[in-house]
Amino acid sequence: MILAFNTSLADLHIGLFSDDGKSLAEYHHLATPTERHIHDALLAQSTEQLLKDINAKGKDINRIVFINGPGSFTGLRIGLSFAKGLAFGSGAKLIPLIAHQVLLRAYESRTTNHEPRITILYPGYEKDSVYMSYSDEPNIIKYLPISDLLKMGIAEVICTSELDAISIPHHIVNIKLQTMAEMVLTADAANTSTLEPFYGTDFKTNATAVSNFVGRGG
């Protein structure tokens, strides 16, 4: 069984999937503007409840896939700590994914009519900032203000609904647990002892070291 979750932004998304990627149970908590620490409070508790809902146990999980960056410092750290702890107890393999990889996979699965090079955007940790990569290098990520982005003459853009107010043409493609579960089927497991979150706190960063842990899944 596959456990998939995303703690990289304010909301919390958790799902259990069969070994061939079919959804068994999901939990989604959309955080209010004033909510804090929901990942710390709800990740373990909600995962346990999902297991109970389908009469399963933690030891039934053999793969854990999660967004390992970029994103919230606290959210990513809580997610990785939980994944490592559960993997230690269950023997599950860890599959960390970069958010831009998942957005690209989701977009490519729904259309073949797109530019050769697409810009992929994910919300930054500061207001009016983004994590940016290109579709031909989804693991090479830059952190920059939206004001700088608007000067770059971008042809086609993929972004999440959190950025739907940007004033350039764009496609909304949110990260889905289903997409993450499907990527597990062709991904490599991480080295648990050396795995760290990709926070992306530098103005210009390179996520290649993190991406070495995981295949693109197509």
Side-chain angles (χ1 to χ4, degrees), residues 2-218:
I2 299 167
L3 168 65
F5 65 83
N6 182 6
T7 59
S8 64
L9 298 177
D11 301 332
L12 175 62
H13 304 281
I14 312 170
L16 294 173
F17 296 82
S18 65
D19 287 336
D20 58 357
K22 294 180 180 179
S23 180
L24 302 174
E26 296 188 24
Y27 171 84
H28 303 277
H29 182 94
L30 304 182
T32 68
T34 59
E35 276 188 303
R36 297 290 184 272
H37 311 300
I38 68 165
H39 304 119
D40 191 23
L42 297 177
L43 179 56
Q45 171 186 314
S46 301
T47 300
E48 181 180 21
Q49 185 59 53
L50 286 179
L51 289 168
K52 289 180 179 179
D53 290 344
I54 61 171
N55 296 315
K57 298 181 179 180
K59 66 180 181 181
D60 297 324
I61 298 171
N62 52 49
R63 284 169 290 183
I64 303 171
V65 59
F66 56 99
I67 300 299
N68 198 44
S72 159
F73 180 95
T74 302
L76 295 178
R77 175 57 66 182
I78 290 171
L80 180 57
S81 297
F82 174 72
K84 283 186 172 182
L86 185 56
F88 180 80
S90 67
K93 296 179 180 179
L94 298 186
I95 313 292
L97 296 175
I98 299 299
H100 296 67
Q101 295 172 321
V102 185
L103 291 174
L104 178 60
R105 173 65 175 266
Y107 178 71
E108 289 178 337
S109 68
R110 76 181 195 184
T111 181
T112 57
N113 184 25
H114 53 74
E115 298 289 334
R117 197 182 206 207
I118 305 169
T119 303
I120 309 170
L121 304 179
Y122 203 59
Y125 66 97
E126 293 178 332
K127 185 179 180 181
D128 298 325
S129 64
V130 292
Y131 296 104
M132 184 201 81
S133 74
Y134 294 111
S135 56
D136 55 348
E137 296 179 319
N139 304 319
I140 308 300
I141 299 172
K142 296 179 181 179
Y143 179 71
L144 71 167
I146 291 178
S147 58
D148 285 5
L149 179 75
L150 298 177
K151 302 174 185 177
M152 299 174 61
I154 297 170
E156 189 168 0
V157 176
I158 302 171
C159 67
T160 69
S161 58
E162 287 86 353
L163 293 171
D164 62 4
I166 61 175
S167 57
I168 52 179
H170 57 278
H171 303 274
I172 297 296
V173 182
N174 290 316
I175 287 181
K176 294 184 178 181
L177 298 175
Q178 181 68 59
T179 304
M180 295 170 61
E182 291 170 358
M183 293 177 72
V184 168
L185 304 180
T186 53
D188 298 323
N191 182 336
T192 305
S193 63
T194 59
L195 180 61
E196 291 293 331
F198 169 60
Y199 298 122
T201 52
D202 295 331
F203 180 76
K204 186 174 182 180
T205 56
N206 186 319
T208 302
V210 177
S211 69
N212 286 338
F213 291 120
V214 59
R216 280 190 56 192

